[in-house]
Amino acid sequence: MTHWFDGPLAAFDTETTGVDVEEDRIVSAAVVVQDSPGGRPRIRRWLVNPGVPVPPGAVEVHGLTEDHLQRNGRWPAPVMEEIAKALAEQCAAARPLVVMNAPFDLTLLDRELRRHRASSLSRYLDRSPLCVLDPRVLDKHLDRYRKGRRTLTDLCAQYEVVLDGAHDAAADALAALEVVRAVGRRFNARLERLSPAELHTLQAVWHAAQARGLQAWFARSGAPEVVDPAWPLRPELPAAA
């Protein structure tokens, strides 16, 4: 019997103008599909002219300058719809969608759809709901006592996955997909009887618990950060009165 981590998987990743899902914009995105471990990935890429300044700090991360995006990027409205439809296609094909730190990328896409399409991600997924595998949540639950950071680069090192070209959306998506396969193999005894749909439900619970633990740590440290427990998509903020 083929385990889910040896079967078809898709992955999604973005590069952005910053880390605020409510205000920042997508400048590039990729969807990667792989039918089996080691199989040749099928990659679809998007480059976006966000229509807003690209901060130097963001350029340092992904290397996409404002001038390059203005010259080569497409206007956001059609791109966001294409991305949402591409994710819907993967869901309709029953391929689990790997998204590293899913609440960031999926929420940012949702906000871009609301901004440019007067729509939402859920509207594109109304017939085939998301089934997400988040390597960050999975690793943190299954190996919770391991010390150290859990960025994609850290997880690639931990699971011996090659990350070639970090902070390129396609490279990051493929690496996250390979990490999920590696997590599945390493923790096979705990995961093999769980379907991706069951794991999706469990990850929402695990992420909420992880968020509560991190929030408590911030409180003890006197830090003002607020950790959102929602996964894989943050709810829309209420409109200002």
Side-chain angles (χ1 to χ4, degrees):
M1 182 182 71
T2 301
H3 301 306
W4 60 261
F5 45 83
D6 289 325
L9 294 176
F12 171 59
D13 190 72
T14 66
E15 297 300 328
T16 68
T17 60
V19 296
D20 184 339
V21 296
E22 302 298 337
E23 299 295 337
D24 280 306
R25 311 298 175 89
I26 293 172
V27 297
S28 70
V31 170
V32 175
V33 180
Q34 188 185 53
D35 293 325
S36 61
R40 184 173 182 176
R42 302 188 296 279
I43 302 173
R44 188 174 181 185
R45 296 179 173 88
W46 293 268
L47 191 66
V48 187
N49 176 1
V52 300
V54 182
V59 176
E60 288 180 11
V61 172
H62 50 59
L64 298 172
T65 65
E66 191 170 333
D67 180 68
H68 177 76
L69 294 170
Q70 288 176 351
R71 291 175 180 272
N72 301 285
R74 295 169 57 203
W75 192 243
V79 173
M80 298 311 150
E81 181 166 59
E82 289 175 14
I83 295 172
K85 287 182 175 179
L87 298 188
E89 288 172 9
Q90 300 311 314
C91 294
R95 291 190 190 95
L97 184 66
V98 175
V99 190
M100 174 72 184
N101 192 15
F104 178 78
D105 293 85
L106 295 180
T107 304
L108 195 57
L109 175 59
D110 176 78
R111 302 313 190 252
E112 288 277 52
L113 289 166
R114 294 174 187 273
R115 183 178 295 121
H116 295 290
R117 304 296 306 184
S119 187
S120 67
L121 184 56
S122 62
R123 291 182 185 177
Y124 288 88
L125 303 172
D126 57 350
R127 295 185 181 180
S128 302
L130 279 168
C131 179
V132 175
L133 298 171
D134 187 333
R136 188 168 181 242
V137 175
L138 291 170
D139 172 74
K140 196 169 185 178
H141 177 79
L142 295 164
D143 197 0
R144 69 182 67 184
Y145 299 114
R146 189 180 79 247
K147 296 186 182 299
R149 296 167 31 139
R150 298 177 194 252
T151 67
L152 180 59
T153 300
D154 298 318
L155 295 185
C156 286
Q158 177 67 26
Y159 290 95
E160 299 181 345
V161 169
V162 175
L163 176 54
D164 187 10
H167 300 298
D168 169 82
D172 286 356
L174 180 59
L177 187 154
E178 296 288 3
V179 167
V180 163
R181 292 198 190 281
V183 169
R185 289 190 292 268
R186 182 172 298 185
F187 297 99
N188 177 35
R190 298 167 64 182
L191 295 177
E192 64 176 345
R193 296 187 180 182
L194 294 170
S195 69
E198 290 170 325
L199 272 174
H200 178 97
T201 300
L202 286 169
Q203 285 170 101
V205 177
W206 297 343
H207 179 270
Q210 293 163 9
R212 288 193 297 270
L214 183 56
Q215 190 69 75
W217 185 85
F218 282 143
R220 291 193 299 271
S221 304
E225 283 85 351
V226 176
V227 185
D228 195 320
W231 183 96
L233 181 66
R234 297 177 189 174
E236 185 183 13
L237 291 176

